[in-house]
Structures are given as C-alpha cells and as structure tokens.
Amino acid sequence: MKFNIVPVIVFLAMSILVRAEDSLPDVKFVPLNSLTEAAGNQATGPASNSATSASYTAEALPQEDSAQTPYGLPRELMPLWDSLTIKQKAAQMVMVYMTPASFMLEHEFGGYLVMKNHLKNLDKFTENIRTVNDSMRIKPLVAADQEGGLVNRISVVAPRWEHTPSAKQMRNMSEDSIRTLAKEIGAVLDSVGINLNLAPVLDPAKDSRGKHSFMEESKRSWGEDTTNATKVRAFVQGMRESNVACVSKHFPGYDSWTNSDHQIAVSSTPKAKVAKNVEFFKTLASDIPVTMMSSVSFVRISSRPAVFEPKIVKMARDMSPETVILTDDLWGVSLRAWVSGNERVRSKNYPAKDFRKLVRTALMAGNDMFMITYPQKAVEMVNYLAALSKQSKYYRQRIEESAARILKMKFKAGLL
C-alpha cells in the first residue's frame, strides 16, 4: 500500500511539541497551501447568547499583483503585512462578542459579533464602531445574523423592520424583489456599521430521510438543493450593493434536530447525501466570501464535529481557495463538551488545558477565523496562538495563511 510519508513526518514533529495531556486522538495535520498561492455589555464574561451562525465576488487576485508575495497577498498590503507581529496576525483570526471600544483597540481583534441587544442603544453602538474604525489600522469585520424571519437582529432598529421575510418566504419572491429587499436591509446594516451578514442559510430543507429539517421548520433554509441558487445570489448581490458581505452556513449542511449550541449534535446522514448538500455551498462559493462551519458531528464521515474535522473543512476549502472559513461559537457548550469528553460542561471553570486543545484543534482542522462569545477567552486564544507560533514553523505558517486570507477578503471588501 502506497502512502505519502511527508504528512506523517510533519504530524510526528508537531506531536512532540504538544504536551501529552493536551493531545487529541487521531489528530491529522492538514497540508498547508503554497506560500505563493494566489487562488454593549461590558463584555469581560461569557455572552448569554451564542451566534448561529456581505458580499463580494471571491475572484482570484491578479497574478501580477500577488505571484511573488507571501500567501498571494496583493502588493498594496505588503507594507501592512510586514509591519504586523505574529500576535497581531493571530488577532485577525478572532471574531469576538462585541466589547467596549477600549477592549477592542487594546487587543486588535479581527472581528466583532453583534447581537440584537447591542442594537437597542444605537447611539452607543455606532459610537463604539466609529471609535474602533477610526483608531484601528485594520478595520474589523462587524457581523450580525440578519437572516430574516425568526433571526432578525434589526427588529429593534426601527418599527419598519420588526418583521422581515424569512428565507422560506423569500424563496417564493422574484429575484428582483429579493435583491431590492436585501439592498434595503443591507443599507440598514451599513448605516449602523455592520459589514458582514451571517446569512444565507444553505442548510438542506429535507433531512436524509426526506423529512423537513429543523432549518426548514424554522423557515431559515433556502432550499434542499441548488434550485434556488439564483435567488440566493440575488440576496447576496443586494447586500453587496449596500457594502455588506455575506456568510454561507452551516457547512456541510445542518440537518440535525439537536441544537448544537447547547449539546453534542449528531447526524447519521450518508456520505452521498452530505455531498449533495455541499453542492449548494459549492454553487455559490464564488459569490460568498465566507463560509461558517457546522458544529454537528457527521458520524458517517467522522466522530468529530464538522468544524474540528480536517476532511470536512477541506471540503469547504476546496470550493474556493480564498474562502474564509469561519467557526461557529467555540465557547458553545457542545464543542467544549466534545473536547473535554464531559457532557456536563458549563460556561465557568473550563480547564485551561481543554481550552488550549479546543483552539489547537480548530486551528489544525483548517479554520481561518474563530468566533467566540467570551471576550476574556478571546484574549487567551490570541496569546495561545502566538505561543504556538513560537513552538513550530508549522503552527506559524498555519496562522499566517489564515491571517493573510482574512486580510485579502477585507481588501476585496473595501475595508483596507
């Protein structure tokens, strides 16, 4: 039997660097891309709500601009890139629950996560965002779940937006109507400083048994296959026209009836059906620059949650090499429970070694950006990533390739 010995050597080298008590079974090193690849709460504790999970075309950067630069970075970004420390690059990989501007400026996180409660005081919210944008060299991604229907963050902004159509309702609208509506909603997001919409939901409308899925019953799904791709594209285009980028979620297709934010969720969907669900994401990969991973364990593929499984993350990466792969909330109970092997995990007193294991697993699975609803843990996350970079060139390269991918996405979206 033939096999490639290089990944084995890499894995063994990395295993030596990691303390035995921190190691996870069956960790597989994901080969890195080529260096020249061109393809207001006072938030110091955990947030009470976790996220579920704008837009531009993910075109390849011009070859003449990036062929001779590290990670295919455009030449315009090289002065910035060369000035960043590895800790600042690691900070770009973190999307944190919205905090006071002073906290954000101190730690230079790459993204904010905005919930409905943040928008109840618009003056305070917009002042916070304005301060951050005026003071940070690299503007953050400011993200909110504005799917419509049950997931409607702007309902508190103005009475007009108390009810917005769900994805299921928009499926029955014309493309022009969807685009116009998305542009109007995007303008509201843009006006308050939100530049990333954690939508559309491309999870299947039917599970592997042919029954309506949880996302369909919640009216959050855009359909069971690629039939509605043109309508999703109209939604994304409308958002893009209002300077808001979009995120497809939850890869490779959430079809479990268990809430994966709160408990370990398992799907027995056959591989062939998972592959079919992936086609919807793949069809829209060139339109949507960010893909959010699912926390569900697809046991026909792996016992690991999808966000931690290198084979599944690679499926998302293969759709488009420049897509930014985003995790759902890493402070979610289910993911921490899986890492620790204790289903009774709660928000407080999570072991430090388990948290390091969680961060390292997410990193080596191939994710680019880590969402976390516990700001103080976000600081620990950045510090640990920086420490890993000093242990091994493999960790450093892994951090840098993700940081570069995020910067390229921000550059294309007009944030740099």
Side-chain angles (χ1 to χ4, degrees):
M1 180 175 65
K2 296 181 179 180
F3 63 96
N4 188 349
I5 197 171
V6 174
V8 178
I9 295 173
V10 171
F11 169 75
L12 291 174
M14 293 180 64
S15 299
I16 294 171
L17 295 170
V18 182
R19 292 170 53 187
E21 64 177 6
D22 287 352
S23 62
L24 276 170
D26 301 323
V27 175
K28 295 182 180 180
F29 178 72
V30 180
L32 301 172
N33 293 331
S34 166
L35 286 177
T36 58
E37 176 186 78
N41 291 343
Q42 183 67 30
T44 56
S48 58
N49 298 315
S50 74
T52 63
S53 21
S55 198
Y56 80 128
T57 301
E59 300 168 340
L61 289 169
Q63 291 292 325
E64 62 271 22
D65 290 340
S66 58
Q68 302 302 319
T69 59
Y71 307 101
L73 284 160
R75 294 193 182 282
E76 295 94 324
L77 292 185
M78 286 311 301
L80 172 64
W81 178 259
D82 290 338
S83 72
L84 296 176
T85 65
I86 190 63
K87 186 174 181 179
Q88 288 172 320
K89 292 172 182 176
Q92 283 299 302
M93 296 176 62
V94 177
M95 177 178 286
V96 65
Y97 183 83
M98 184 175 175
T99 58
S102 57
F103 189 81
M104 191 73 174
L105 293 174
E106 178 183 359
H107 299 290
E108 301 180 283
F109 298 115
Y112 260 165
L113 175 64
V114 176
M115 304 299 282
K116 185 184 293 186
N117 61 296
H118 293 125
L119 299 176
K120 291 181 178 178
N121 187 334
L122 276 182
D123 290 339
K124 180 179 179 181
F125 176 82
T126 53
E127 178 60 28
N128 192 355
I129 298 298
R130 186 181 303 110
T131 299
V132 168
N133 285 337
D134 288 347
S135 304
M136 288 181 68
R137 284 193 299 166
I138 305 174
K139 291 182 180 180
L141 296 172
V142 183
D145 296 272
Q146 184 51 47
E147 300 172 15
L150 295 176
V151 185
N152 179 21
R153 303 301 187 222
I154 63 171
S155 61
V156 296
V157 173
R160 177 187 177 187
W161 303 112
E162 288 181 1
H163 303 284
T164 56
S166 66
K168 188 173 182 178
Q169 290 172 312
M170 285 188 277
R171 276 158 37 187
N172 295 318
M173 295 167 55
S174 69
E175 292 173 28
D176 287 343
S177 297
I178 294 171
R179 180 172 175 174
T180 299
L181 175 64
K183 184 176 181 179
E184 291 174 351
I185 293 174
V188 177
L189 298 174
D190 183 49
S191 70
V192 300
I194 295 171
N195 54 38
L196 189 68
N197 187 4
L198 302 179
V201 171
L202 302 186
D203 301 322
K206 292 183 179 180
D207 63 21
S208 59
R209 300 167 299 173
K211 296 183 178 181
H212 283 173
S213 67
F214 169 74
M215 290 298 176
E216 176 71 358
E217 292 293 338
S218 303
K219 302 180 180 180
R220 297 173 61 189
S221 172
W222 275 90
E224 61 185 284
D225 52 34
T226 59
T227 304
N228 292 315
T230 56
K231 293 188 175 183
V232 177
R233 193 168 285 120
F235 176 86
V236 171
Q237 177 64 22
M239 287 286 166
R240 177 167 65 240
E241 291 173 5
S242 290
N243 305 311
V244 178
C246 282
V247 177
S248 61
K249 62 184 186 185
H250 307 79
F251 192 92
Y254 192 120
D255 63 357
S256 169
W257 275 84
T258 306
N259 188 331
S260 64
D261 286 336
H262 305 303
Q263 63 188 102
I264 295 174
V266 175
S267 171
S268 59
T269 303
K271 289 183 179 180
K273 181 64 166 67
V274 172
K276 181 180 179 182
N277 294 340
V278 165
E279 285 302 310
F280 206 178
F281 290 86
K282 188 174 182 179
T283 299
L284 292 154
S286 62
D287 300 273
I288 303 176
V290 183
T291 293
M292 179 185 289
M293 296 300 301
S294 168
S295 299
V296 174
S297 296
F298 294 86
V299 293
R300 300 287 184 90
I301 298 176
S302 172
S303 62
R304 291 170 172 243
V307 67
F308 290 155
E309 174 48 57
K311 289 182 291 187
I312 299 179
V313 176
K314 186 177 183 297
M315 290 165 62
R317 170 72 60 230
D318 288 346
M319 296 188 308
S320 173
E322 296 299 340
T323 297
V324 172
I325 307 298
L326 172 69
T327 73
D328 207 332
D329 180 19
L330 290 179
W331 195 248
V333 171
S334 68
L335 295 180
R336 290 187 292 125
W338 185 86
V339 167
S340 66
N342 179 4
E343 293 190 19
R344 296 185 178 181
V345 162
R346 292 295 179 263
S347 294
K348 296 181 180 180
N349 302 319
Y350 191 62
K353 70 180 183 65
D354 287 350
F355 185 69
R356 292 195 299 270
K357 187 186 298 183
L358 182 150
V359 173
R360 192 173 60 252
T361 305
L363 175 72
M364 297 316 296
N367 297 284
D368 296 313
M369 200 165 203
F370 301 171
M371 179 190 293
I372 187 164
T373 53
Y374 193 163
Q376 206 57 50
K377 288 295 180 181
V379 177
E380 293 181 26
M381 184 179 284
V382 173
N383 289 338
Y384 183 54
L385 287 170
L388 284 176
S389 73
K390 296 178 181 179
Q391 289 185 23
S392 164
K393 66 179 181 180
Y394 300 111
Y395 286 129
R396 183 183 182 96
Q397 185 176 342
R398 180 66 196 82
I399 291 165
E400 286 194 334
E401 69 170 2
S402 286
R405 193 174 284 118
I406 292 164
L407 290 181
K408 284 187 281 187
M409 179 265 170
K410 289 184 175 183
F411 181 67
K412 294 176 185 178
L415 297 179
L416 293 177

